Amino acid sequence: MKKGLNIVGTRVPMLDAGLKVKGAAQFTDDLVLPGMLFGKILRSPLPHARILNIDTSRAEKLPGVRGVATGRDIPDRQYGIVPMAKDEYALAKDKVRYIGDDVAAVCAIDPEIAEEALELIDVDYEELAAVFDPREAIKEGAPVIHEGVKNNTSFAINKEFGDVARAFAESDAVFEDRFYSQAVNHAPLEPHAALAQFDPLNGDLTLWSSTQIPFFLRRNLSNTLQIPESKVRVIKPKVGGGFGQKIDMFAKDFCAAWFAIHLGKPVKFVYEREEVFISTRQRHPMYITVKTGVKKDGTILGQQFQAHADGGAYNSTAPTMIALSCFFLMIPYHIPNLIYEGCHIYTNKPVGGAMRGHGIPQARFAVERQLDMIAGRMGVDPVEIRIKNSIHAGQPHSAGFVINTCGFSESVTRAAESIGWQEKRGKLPLGRGVGLAGASFPSGVSNMSHISSGAVVQLGRDGAVNVLSGAADIGQGAETVISQIVAEELGVSLEDIRITAADTGITPLDPGTFGSGVTVRAGNAARLAAMSARNKLFEFIAEKLEANLADLVAENRNIFVKGSPEKGMTFSAALKAYQYADLPMPIVGRGSWMAPASEPTTLFKEDGNFAPSYSFMTQAAEVEVDLQTGRVKLLKMVTAHDCGTPINPMLVEGQLEGSVVGGMGQALYENVIVEKGQVMNPSFLDYGFPTFMEMPEIEAIEVETDDPIGPFGAKEAGEGTQLSPAPAIVNAVYDAIGVDFMELPITPEKILDALEAKK
Amino acid sequence: MKRAIELSINGDTYDVLVSPNNTLLEVLRDKLGLMGTKRGCDLGACGACTVLINGEAYLSCVMLAIDAGGKDILTIEGLAEGGELHPLQSSFVEKGGLQCGFCTPGMILTARAILNEEENPTEDVIKRKMAGNLCRCTGYKKVVEAVMSANESDENAGRPEGQEA
Ligand code: FES
Ligand code: FES
């Protein structure tokens, strides 16, 4: 904990933990409104088909059914989280593009009747040729999934920094390797849900939704349903995890709102687990080729990176995802010459979206794997090659990133030490091994529009501090962290804070929970608001105490002159005095914050800084491979993370631990298996993400740096940690059995096949 | 045909009209408004809907409501007495054994069942017996720590009422 701080830096429990352990925390599906109706969605059974006709008459006649909607009913406006990439309709217009696509919606007095009515909807399809492999979809003559999108390539990025051809010519060796990273489902425990209510008198629509992006959802609801944004209020109740899957909107949001408006009754949609697997989002499968030129000692001179992302049927975050894959090749290593080429390709499959790391885990898997392979080929130690190529704070960056603080090489050293690198690497018996991998992640982004947060802090007569923030807490503890920041700034106790967050009708604008920007962005906004409120109180107190405003401090519910604690008063006495001086209450402080965008750039075409700050991390794994069954056991994972100065170390640890276990799932178990467009394992049982039994020993090492931009020195925590567990584990498996795996996940079958082939 | 049954939940008796295929989870949530029991999969694969029946953990989404008639059902709403949290609940709070909290009621009730059955379970026993409770947020580490520490901090944490040592 930093000197002079009382609340920031402490391991306080989440403010809403009490409600959560009592089962009293309200998630969207826990909300009940009088007269509420229930909705269900009819989904496409075909991967690619034209809709010739939909007959809803039989469904409409079923007793208990209150409404049926199809794409004809809802305005012809596409939605999407990235404005330039909107390509989805609330309900299909004339085509379906994957098995699970939204075709029609039913609203009834109970969910079973709605379900039954779905079977009474008759849809005539004309089946079209479908394509499931992005490497096929990109070819001339492949089925056209979206009219006008050539080669099914909805987005491509292609840029060179420096001179890669020359770098390769000057290299002692150039290696080219191919990798594949699979589809992973976020699988938040809470299924997606929405509840809408409409007031016909004043035209106000309220939507409660399990969302990470209330304000983007508001904008899309307004645009798609053609109602003014000022008439839409989105409220985010408790959200049961998101990991990026809820950085998007879905048919349930639009249909709940549409029915509520047209039927005049509240309407709730809750997705079943199978729908979460098939019809929401997943991590993009990606085919990657990396070509790297190095000097004898392992110094990287140049790199060429090509990625084909399998986007499934729609764009979702396509441009952002593929751009992130590429941009983050330039960090944490110094790559003086770089070409990246990435494209997002439509296929007739479930849709890719943002998932923890957002395009970067796939790239990291390829690059960190190849780095180990290069180290082996050149006879350099994997730890050494990483430290040698590490970027450093303050150094000029080849793409123009501004790195204020960087604990990367320290994170490599400490992770290696902690896993016992010297004693273990290459020295353990057959079947045991250690490996590591590094990464970097942004704390929010500085180069996009609309990425700013606001906060309001009110000091009332009752001594309570009221905070309004637009930040979307989805279980990571954003509300707690923001409250800690405000309490620290005001010198009050955490119990004095009352926070209301993420209600577009009440709280100030915030982009939402993505890109790991919440603590920095919303935290800074809240800090500014708190400072502004405090200074108003200080002005008055300074006069009263005949002191300089600059000499006042607020601490432990007291305000006093620095160095003379006797010269001061309690916080509540100060508020009372303020009120009795006939000054207007409440004292209101406002703050808005966005990352400095002095050189706004898209990075697609020009250089520039991408994020206000960057976190750095190294994961080191020790594994045991069962040579008989092919099962890999992750024995231990060390994660050394430079996340600046943690506001709440306990919550940061929780983020790191959860992220490591998620990364382990990506490495060893998880894979959304799709055959001819059909998801074959859309259930927890068949999908099989890690349970208590697979939990490794986890050691979290904080590499503290003091970032000048984040509130109290904080940076991103927890998302970046999911970037490199997979390559670290696969690198450790190489150490254990001497096999280089290039594709994820490494299942027992693959291990056994590889062991067999090695014989 | 609907049937009237009597359910004893958290010490109270409820008369409910159920269809033979209604699950206990449907009755708890949709008929009685006991929303602390969560629906994560509705297929018996995540543990979010765990309740205790006569002290043992059951998945309420795959249990028929009529089969729960006449038995003692404990849901998360009935765990704490008065204004105080149950030691297991406090321990989850203090140790950070939760993030989004969606899996938490099921986790706590499963842990309670384990401590009912076994004095001082080892970490391995806890992991094995909780393997049916999925969590996508915490990575499980702090959940295990929370259960271990509840067991240490309060000898009576898991004992059924009236059987305190
Ligand atoms: S909801 Fe019952 S086990 Fe998942
Ligand atoms: S705390 Fe979110 S699923 Fe366990």
Side-chain angles (χ1 to χ4, degrees):
Chain A
M1 196 168 123
K2 265 206 243 178
K3 256 184 61 201
L5 298 182
N6 296 309
I7 295 164
V8 160
T10 58
R11 304 173 65 86
V12 288
M14 271 186 204
L15 295 179
D16 54 6
L19 283 180
K20 287 173 177 171
V21 296
K22 284 165 66 174
Q26 287 193 307
F27 297 82
T28 304
D29 188 24
D30 300 334
L31 304 173
V32 175
L33 293 175
M36 187 169 86
L37 302 171
F38 300 86
K40 290 273 177 196
I41 308 247
L42 179 71
R43 303 193 170 280
S44 169
L46 298 173
H48 198 193
R50 208 176 303 287
I51 299 173
L52 301 177
N53 186 44
I54 305 181
D55 181 355
T56 58
S57 54
R58 287 199 301 145
E60 278 158 24
K61 283 185 206 121
L62 185 73
V65 169
R66 288 289 181 268
V68 183
T70 71
R72 285 186 307 247
D73 303 309
I74 297 180
D76 247 343
R77 303 291 292 240
Q78 288 173 314
Y79 72 87
I81 177 72
V82 177
M84 68 195 275
K86 290 183 181 182
D87 64 353
E88 260 177 292
Y89 291 105
L91 293 172
K93 282 287 166 195
D94 34 42
K95 250 175 81 158
V96 286
R97 297 181 172 87
Y98 74 104
I99 295 175
D101 211 345
D102 314 280
V103 176
V106 169
C107 184
I109 56 168
D110 78 38
E112 287 77 50
I113 296 175
E115 190 85 53
E116 205 185 321
L118 293 183
E119 287 166 30
L120 301 176
I121 299 176
D122 300 304
V123 188
D124 288 342
Y125 293 106
E126 176 196 323
E127 192 159 4
L128 301 170
V131 58
F132 307 112
D133 185 330
R135 294 164 302 179
E136 295 300 319
I138 201 168
K139 290 184 184 157
E140 286 302 330
V144 177
I145 298 177
H146 289 263
E147 288 315 317
V149 178
K150 208 171 164 300
N151 298 334
N152 291 309
T153 305
S154 69
F155 194 79
I157 177 170
N158 191 332
K159 177 155 169 53
E160 177 163 9
F161 295 90
D163 183 344
V164 172
R166 208 172 92 192
F168 284 166
E170 285 169 4
S171 296
D172 291 322
V174 178
F175 300 101
E176 182 172 323
D177 298 286
R178 286 162 198 279
F179 302 89
Y180 171 74
S181 176
Q182 82 282 34
V184 175
N185 193 278
H186 312 59
L189 259 273
E190 179 210 16
H192 300 237
L195 167 63
Q197 188 177 38
F198 185 67
D199 180 341
L201 279 184
N202 54 18
D204 281 340
L205 172 74
T206 305
L207 185 87
W208 292 261
S209 177
S210 52
T211 179
Q212 298 182 226
I213 38 115
F215 289 87
F216 277 101
L217 177 53
R218 175 179 71 174
R219 192 187 304 170
N220 275 270
L221 280 169
S222 151
N223 184 59
T224 298
L225 300 179
Q226 295 286 287
I227 36 179
E229 207 169 317
S230 60
K231 291 287 177 195
V232 183
R233 176 178 176 194
V234 174
I235 302 175
K236 179 210 68 69
K238 299 290 176 210
V239 172
F243 318 108
Q245 202 174 47
K246 295 170 182 171
I247 303 181
D248 230 314
M249 38 240 135
F250 299 97
K252 48 112 188 161
D253 296 302
F254 300 103
C255 293
W258 191 85
F259 279 125
I261 292 170
H262 290 269
L263 301 174
K265 291 258 172 107
V267 179
K268 188 197 269 184
F269 278 73
V270 182
Y271 281 2
E272 284 167 21
R273 179 53 53 185
E274 190 173 321
E275 292 179 286
V276 178
F277 271 102
I278 296 173
S279 300
T280 63
R281 297 292 181 252
Q282 61 184 18
R283 178 176 285 152
H284 295 82
M286 215 183 271
Y287 294 88
I288 295 172
T289 306
V290 196
K291 191 171 169 185
T292 306
V294 290
K295 290 207 294 203
K296 276 202 184 69
D297 67 354
T299 306
I300 300 170
L301 294 186
Q303 195 163 64
Q304 183 172 4
F305 174 90
Q306 279 176 312
H308 287 167
D310 182 348
Y314 295 98
N315 265 333
S316 179
T317 59
T320 316
M321 177 278 305
I322 197 73
L324 285 170
S325 294
C326 292
F327 299 167
F328 277 75
L329 296 164
M330 296 181 278
I331 187 171
Y333 305 113
H334 178 59
I335 314 285
N337 303 285
L338 172 71
I339 294 177
Y340 50 66
E341 295 166 19
C343 52
H344 175 273
I345 304 160
Y346 288 133
T347 56
N348 295 110
K349 290 199 301 199
V351 183
M355 179 177 178
R356 216 167 188 174
H358 204 180
I360 308 177
Q362 298 94 319
R364 221 60 247 160
F365 169 66
V367 169
E368 294 291 324
R369 272 268 51 225
Q370 197 202 29
L371 206 53
D372 257 40
M373 293 164 67
I374 292 174
R377 291 160 182 159
M378 306 298 284
V380 186
D381 185 77
V383 168
E384 218 175 281
I385 202 170
R386 287 179 169 82
I387 292 176
K388 186 182 296 289
N389 289 293
S390 166
I391 58 165
H392 297 284
Q395 277 181 354
H397 184 269
S398 46
F401 285 20
V402 179
I403 314 287
N404 289 318
T405 50
C406 171
F408 183 64
S409 56
E410 188 186 341
S411 77
V412 178
T413 311
R414 291 182 61 188
E417 245 171 48
S418 202
I419 203 78
W421 190 263
Q422 284 305 332
E423 313 85 74
K424 290 181 179 164
R425 175 74 179 191
K427 297 176 187 133
L428 294 170
L430 180 68
R432 276 287 269 265
V434 294
L436 50 68
S440 172
F441 204 71
S443 311
V445 291
S446 46
N447 65 348
M448 287 157 79
S449 51
H450 320 302
I451 302 291
S452 61
S453 289
V456 175
V457 168
Q458 299 180 53
L459 312 179
R461 310 162 35 155
D462 58 351
V465 177
N466 245 303
V467 183
L468 303 179
S469 163
D473 194 330
I474 56 166
Q476 81 278 41
E479 290 178 19
T480 305
V481 164
I482 289 166
S483 300
Q484 283 181 267
I485 290 170
V486 171
E488 185 70 56
E489 208 51 73
L490 293 174
V492 298
S493 147
L494 196 55
E495 298 94 78
D496 301 332
I497 309 283
R498 198 185 294 141
I499 185 165
T500 302
D503 174 340
T504 70
I506 294 176
T507 62
L509 182 73
D510 186 276
T513 293
F514 60 84
S516 284
V518 179
T519 299
V520 170
R521 198 172 45 227
N524 268 329
R527 188 176 187 190
L528 290 174
M531 283 162 117
S532 150
R534 188 197 60 195
N535 285 345
K536 288 178 188 168
L537 185 60
F538 271 18
E539 269 169 34
F540 166 75
I541 300 296
E543 210 170 289
K544 228 176 140 56
L545 296 177
E546 293 172 358
N548 267 330
L549 190 147
D551 292 336
L552 291 184
V553 277
E555 218 179 275
N556 299 325
R557 290 180 172 148
N558 286 306
I559 299 173
F560 55 90
V561 178
K562 197 185 288 167
S564 354
E566 71 294 343
K567 207 169 162 205
M569 61 182 79
T570 64
F571 192 77
S572 56
L575 282 177
K576 198 165 177 187
Y578 190 94
Q579 186 192 347
Y580 281 95
D582 286 333
L583 290 164
M585 295 288 263
I587 302 173
V588 180
R590 292 190 182 83
S592 300
W593 194 86
M594 78 184 267
S598 50
E599 352 161 47
T601 159
T602 61
L603 274 189
F604 296 144
K605 302 229 156 41
E606 41 188 338
D607 302 359
N609 192 28
F610 180 74
S613 58
Y614 302 85
S615 59
F616 296 90
M617 60 293 291
T618 299
Q619 259 74 252
E622 178 165 0
V623 300
E624 184 172 52
V625 181
D626 183 325
L627 304 174
Q628 304 309 315
T629 63
R631 289 185 67 86
V632 177
K633 182 151 180 56
L634 176 60
L635 300 172
K636 180 172 181 178
M637 181 71 89
V638 178
T639 171
H641 194 128
D642 158 21
C643 49
T645 309
I647 307 283
N648 185 328
M650 183 163 83
L651 299 190
V652 168
E653 275 167 27
Q655 283 298 308
L656 303 187
E657 289 157 10
S659 210
V660 160
V661 171
M664 170 173 83
Q666 181 200 7
L668 300 176
Y669 313 108
E670 300 178 37
N671 190 7
V672 179
I673 298 168
V674 183
E675 282 177 19
K676 294 211 165 67
Q678 180 84 56
V679 177
M680 305 307 286
N681 54 347
S683 71
F684 283 139
L685 269 184
D686 295 323
Y687 181 70
F689 73 69
T691 73
F692 277 95
M693 296 304 285
E694 286 78 45
M695 178 193 132
E697 180 188 343
I698 301 174
E699 184 184 334
I701 300 173
E702 276 161 26
V703 177
E704 280 201 25
T705 53
D706 188 5
D707 188 78
I709 291 180
F712 300 99
K715 299 201 278 195
E716 175 279 331
E719 182 166 10
T721 309
Q722 193 147 109
L723 304 178
S724 45
I729 291 168
V730 183
N731 287 342
V733 168
Y734 171 79
D735 189 40
I737 58 171
V739 179
D740 272 314
F741 286 96
M742 318 294 271
E743 294 188 0
L744 291 175
I746 48 170
T747 54
E749 300 80 70
K750 285 189 199 159
I751 302 250
L752 289 179
D753 287 350
L755 287 171
E756 190 59 39
K758 251 191 107 191
K759 274 186 188 157
Chain B
M1 267 305 283
K2 296 221 172 185
R3 244 173 74 182
I5 58 167
E6 224 179 67
L7 291 177
S8 150
I9 305 168
N10 304 330
D12 293 319
T13 306
Y14 295 82
D15 291 316
V16 274
L17 207 56
V18 301
S19 303
N21 63 351
N22 275 152
T23 63
L24 179 58
L25 178 64
E26 282 172 320
V27 171
L28 291 173
R29 286 186 62 86
D30 306 338
K31 291 194 196 289
L32 301 176
L34 291 166
M35 296 296 190
T37 310
K38 300 299 175 198
R39 184 182 277 130
C41 67
D42 225 5
L43 271 178
C46 75
C49 63
T50 303
V51 297
L52 299 195
I53 295 185
N54 295 343
E56 275 180 58
Y58 281 86
L59 300 174
S60 63
C61 73
V62 287
M63 176 172 210
L64 293 178
I66 43 174
D67 290 342
K71 299 178 179 145
D72 268 334
I73 303 167
L74 182 77
T75 72
I76 193 69
E77 288 89 350
L79 187 61
E81 276 168 52
E84 296 279 298
L85 293 180
H86 182 272
L88 262 167
Q89 290 172 317
S90 315
S91 174
F92 270 69
V93 171
E94 295 306 320
K95 295 285 170 191
L98 58 99
Q99 287 179 27
C100 78
F102 197 82
C103 69
T104 310
M107 290 279 179
I108 291 177
L109 288 175
T110 305
R112 165 82 203 241
I114 296 171
L115 301 184
N116 274 349
E117 265 165 40
E118 204 156 334
E119 260 176 68
N120 307 319
T122 62
E123 203 175 304
D124 277 344
V125 167
I126 292 173
K127 285 193 204 167
R128 191 159 38 75
K129 295 200 169 175
M130 292 188 77
N133 288 77
L134 298 179
C135 174
R136 195 59 157 166
C137 299
T138 61
Y140 304 108
K141 184 175 172 194
K142 293 195 181 339
V143 179
V144 175
E145 285 167 11
V147 179
M148 295 293 282
S149 106
N151 182 56
E152 281 155 23
S153 71
D154 189 325
E155 285 289 289
N156 299 321
R159 305 254 160 74
E161 281 76 18
Q163 294 180 27
E164 280 80 9

